[in-house]
Amino acid sequence: MASPFKLPETKTRSFSTRALNPSRSVGMKLFLIIIFCSILLCVAGGLLSSVISKGIIETKVSQAGLQTIQQTSGKLELLYGTFMQMTDQFSTYQVLQEQMDTLLIPRQSSYKVMQVYTTLTERLNTYVMNNPMITDSFLIPVNPTAEDSISATSSSIIGTSSILLSDVKAAPWYQPTLDAKGAPFWISEKPTTPESASNSSQAGPTVGIARVLASNDKQMDVFILLLEIRLSDIAA
């Protein structure tokens, strides 16, 4: 005779299956949730660390770039100041003032003009020899009387190499230099094209600084002083 307290066989099996099924265990669910959260926190922490590191690197690179720009700017300002000072010294050079006054005398003798030409050419050569960054230097006449006097010599321009006055007058920097009224004018491209081999033609790309020189006594513009400068020396 069967015992009245015996559980039905089907319910026993269902209870045993629930007890042994780990996917329905509360502890197992908590364990899986903890594992998932741990992985999520690790990933989030890694991403956050990456973002912070990237920001630090970008800041350092920006600071280094700014410092380089500041140093380069300071160097360029020093170089620009040096060349502008050179043009100032040349414009107040007493011998230059005397030679310009000589050229402003109409129908000046060929001997006097040749003396002026030689003296000023030697002065320009001194500038080039004493500063390796200067490849060529020129005195370009802008006064008709001075131009006529110099044209009687071997060249219409006084300089360390031979260039054509017509080419200079057609150059894009010529009129702005005249308009600057004696202030230095920087030329961002090669200022001249020598007729033959010269220091500038062998130096590669060059830039220039030009300014009008006036006679203090006669209050007339006489020359444009042009210094041609090796670009690689400025960019170094």
Side-chain angles (χ1 to χ4, degrees):
M1 182 176 177
S3 172
F5 302 101
K6 186 176 180 181
L7 294 173
E9 186 176 349
T10 56
K11 291 184 178 181
T12 303
R13 289 179 181 177
S14 177
F15 175 79
S16 300
T17 302
R18 285 198 305 269
L20 295 175
N21 188 350
S23 65
R24 297 186 180 183
S25 169
V26 175
M28 180 59 70
K29 289 180 179 179
L30 289 174
F31 176 75
L32 293 175
I33 290 172
I34 291 172
I35 292 296
F36 175 77
C37 291
S38 298
I39 294 173
L40 186 62
L41 287 174
C42 290
V43 172
L47 291 174
L48 181 61
S49 177
S50 175
V51 170
I52 293 174
S53 300
K54 182 180 179 181
I56 292 173
I57 293 173
E58 289 177 347
T59 300
K60 293 295 184 182
V61 170
S62 298
Q63 290 174 348
L66 178 60
Q67 185 176 8
T68 301
I69 292 172
Q70 291 173 339
Q71 291 174 347
T72 302
S73 176
K75 177 185 175 183
L76 290 177
E77 287 180 4
L78 179 62
L79 287 173
Y80 291 160
T82 299
F83 289 117
M84 285 191 287
Q85 187 176 20
M86 284 184 184
T87 64
D88 286 337
Q89 291 173 349
F90 204 99
S91 66
T92 57
Y93 179 45
Q94 184 59 38
V95 173
L96 170 68
Q97 288 291 327
E98 294 171 358
Q99 306 304 320
M100 288 194 298
D101 290 341
T102 300
L103 291 176
L104 291 174
I105 299 174
R107 295 180 296 279
Q108 185 61 264
S109 69
S110 299
Y111 176 74
K112 282 284 188 182
V113 172
M114 187 56 66
Q115 280 186 317
V116 171
Y117 189 93
T118 302
T119 300
L120 294 181
T121 300
E122 289 175 353
R123 184 65 180 178
L124 293 176
N125 277 319
T126 300
Y127 266 66
V128 173
M129 287 187 295
N130 289 344
N131 194 320
M133 296 178 68
I134 300 176
T135 61
D136 270 317
S137 57
F138 305 93
L139 287 171
I140 302 156
V142 295
N143 179 277
T145 303
E147 181 180 337
D148 290 342
S149 297
I150 296 173
S151 296
T153 64
S154 59
S155 175
S156 57
I157 292 178
I158 303 173
T160 53
S161 66
S162 178
I163 57 177
L164 295 175
L165 183 59
S166 57
D167 290 344
V168 170
K169 288 185 175 181
W173 54 266
Y174 181 78
Q175 188 59 46
T177 301
L178 293 177
D179 295 340
K181 303 295 183 182
F185 181 80
W186 281 96
I187 306 165
S188 60
E189 56 189 15
K190 188 173 179 61
T192 64
T193 304
E195 292 184 281
S196 59
S198 68
N199 289 334
S200 61
S201 63
Q202 299 170 6
T206 58
V207 295
I209 182 172
R211 73 181 298 171
V212 173
L213 303 181
S215 167
N216 293 334
D217 288 344
K218 300 184 181 298
Q219 299 296 306
M220 293 182 182
D221 294 340
V222 182
F223 288 118
I224 287 179
L225 170 65
L226 171 64
L227 302 180
E228 201 160 342
I229 304 161
R230 187 181 287 104
L231 182 59
S232 59
D233 289 339
I234 294 179

